[in-house]
Amino acid sequence: MKPVMKTLAAAALGFTLLFPAMASAHTYSIKSGSSDLRITLESLLGEHAELAVIAMQKGIDGAPDFNAAAAALLANGDDLSLAIGSVYGDGAGKAFKGLWSTHIGFFVDYVTATAKKDDSGRKAALAKLEQYGHDFAAFLESANPNLKADDVAAGLQAHVSQLIEAFDDYVNKDYAGAYKADREAYSHMTHFGHVLADAIAKQYPDKFTNEGASAASVDLRSTLDGLLSEHAGLAVLAMQKGINGAPDFDAAAGALLMNSDELTAAISSVYGNDAGKAFKGLWNTHIGFFVDYVKATAAKDEGKRKEALDKLNQYGTDFGAFLESANKNNFKTADIAAALKPHVAQLISAFDSYVSKDYKQAYASTREAYAHMTHTGDYLATGIVAQFQEKFHDPKAPTATSVMKIWLKIGSSSIKIDDTSKMMDTAPFMWEGSTYVPLRFLAEGIGAKVTWDPASQTIWVNDGTNTLTFWVGKDTMEVNGMKKEIGAPVVLRDGRTQLPLRFITELLGWDVQWNKADWSIILSKAIAKDMDMDMGTHMHG
């Protein structure tokens, strides 16, 4: 394979041009039915823990935004109920909601009893929470035999203990302990979401497959989504504490910086310690800009507020440039800057609404900020996995191989893959010594979006992360702005943009056999047997 083709394959769109199986035994992404389920449940359960901590603090403080915080916590419960209902039906969703809402009420009882210094009331609330764990565990086991009641009950007891510890430490002014327990509660509930998702995927393997994603790529997605979402939640709370001059501000800010340390570790694990240090410097700097905004608000200094906002908006560009320098094929400065603008806007909205006492909007923006960061995490994880496919190889993937053959014929619209035939909307042809095949058929065959501009005779192929650009008449193309040699010009024929077959076969490492007698072409390659099976899915899907 030519060096330029190796570069294009590394940029790898997962753009295998014909079908994913052709590029390599495995081309991994972060997306699959089971991984999407896992992220949904991890995100909602993690948010539950964060909102529960906030609501309990607001409750004991008698804060004016307690009702809005509690309403956000219940709205999170509604979203969880819908997620459960989407799997097990509306009846199960309603039953889940009843149990879930009840346990939130028991935490409120604990807060109320603490405020009244009613020790017996506190013990009664704890007893109800313990019983709830058993009731809820029994409910889950009845719905899914892969979930054992005793294990679930033990996990929920840990959840209760962590939230109670975070609250008790807060009441006792042990703020370092309070935020340590807060982060433990968050981490524990994201783990519970993982356990629950795995059990559901095992129960419904046809509905929640892991096709296309490796365990390592999904773990990276989970790590980045979880840490970035936690960052948003902790940032909201720290900003509230800052404007209030609360005694726990330093501890809240400390928790936010510890979250940054863990994000740094995740980046360092991919790009190395130097890149991790650069990331940490940029990330903590943007946290400092939020602190500047809070201070300017407290001082009623509009000039300083605007200055902080300007720095935050510039930060998005600086951070995007840093990531693009690390991963030019998959990260673009403009895209990252655009993705971080909503993050800034949502956190500022949550804070400004809080300051102006519009608590309903404050917590609506808080939830938006939390949810948005999962999209940012997905973007980062997708780019990293595309850049380092070899790092995200699944060691459990089958390695047995078979030889796949693809049959094409000049002038025929039929294509045969092993024993399966399919019709293209135009036939391969020869021109100036090169065999051409239709680009749109190849691209749409793997689910990529194709856009055609007749005025400039340009065609763009986008898979959601990467963009390939071809021009009719040119023998070069671009991958995310990087020029690549094709070897022969792209042509327009039968209303279709046609691409030299040699470009594809060299890119993907296929052996080519030309039959001069009937002008047929046989492509062959040894591939993993499980991907051979995937080929059938794509052919018939």
Side-chain angles (χ1 to χ4, degrees), residues 164-182:
I164 294 297
E165 181 181 357
F167 175 74
D168 285 348
D169 284 347
Y170 179 79
V171 172
N172 295 326
K173 297 182 172 51
D174 179 4
Y175 300 126
Y179 285 96
K180 179 175 180 292
D182 175 359

Side-chain angles (χ1 to χ4, degrees), residues 225-243:
D225 286 4
L227 288 172
L228 287 167
S229 292
E230 185 190 30
H231 160 79
L234 289 172
V236 166
L237 191 54
M239 291 172 79
Q240 289 184 3
K241 300 294 185 177
I243 196 66

Side-chain angles (χ1 to χ4, degrees), residues 25 35 78 121 132 144 194 263 344 424 481 485 517 525:
S35 69
D78 291 343
Y132 148 79
N144 189 328
H194 185 185
L263 273 168
V344 172
M424 296 183 288
E485 299 289 337
K525 184 177 181 180

Side-chain angles (χ1 to χ4, degrees), residues 409-479:
K409 185 175 181 180
I410 302 300
S412 172
S413 299
S414 177
I415 180 173
K416 182 181 289 185
I417 301 176
D418 287 340
D419 296 322
T420 303
S421 296
K422 189 175 179 69
M423 297 299 294
M424 296 183 288
D425 58 3
T426 185
F429 65 95
M430 290 195 70
W431 182 65
E432 295 190 353
S434 295
T435 302
Y436 282 78
V437 291
L439 175 59
R440 183 176 291 273
F441 171 78
L442 302 178
E444 292 183 344
I446 57 104
K449 180 182 178 182
V450 178
T451 304
W452 163 249
D453 178 23
S456 62
Q457 294 200 315
T458 304
I459 188 165
W460 294 274
V461 180
N462 184 274
D463 73 338
T465 302
N466 302 274
T467 299
L468 274 67
T469 307
F470 298 86
W471 296 270
V472 173
K474 290 190 176 183
D475 61 0
T476 59
M477 52 83 69
E478 289 183 356
V479 180

Side-chain angles (χ1 to χ4, degrees), residues 78 80-100 136 139-140 142-143:
D78 291 343
L80 272 167
S81 300
L82 289 174
I84 296 299
S86 70
V87 176
Y88 294 109
D90 291 342
K94 289 178 181 177
F96 174 93
K97 183 176 180 178
L99 284 166
W100 196 255
F136 190 68
F139 163 75
L140 289 180
S142 69

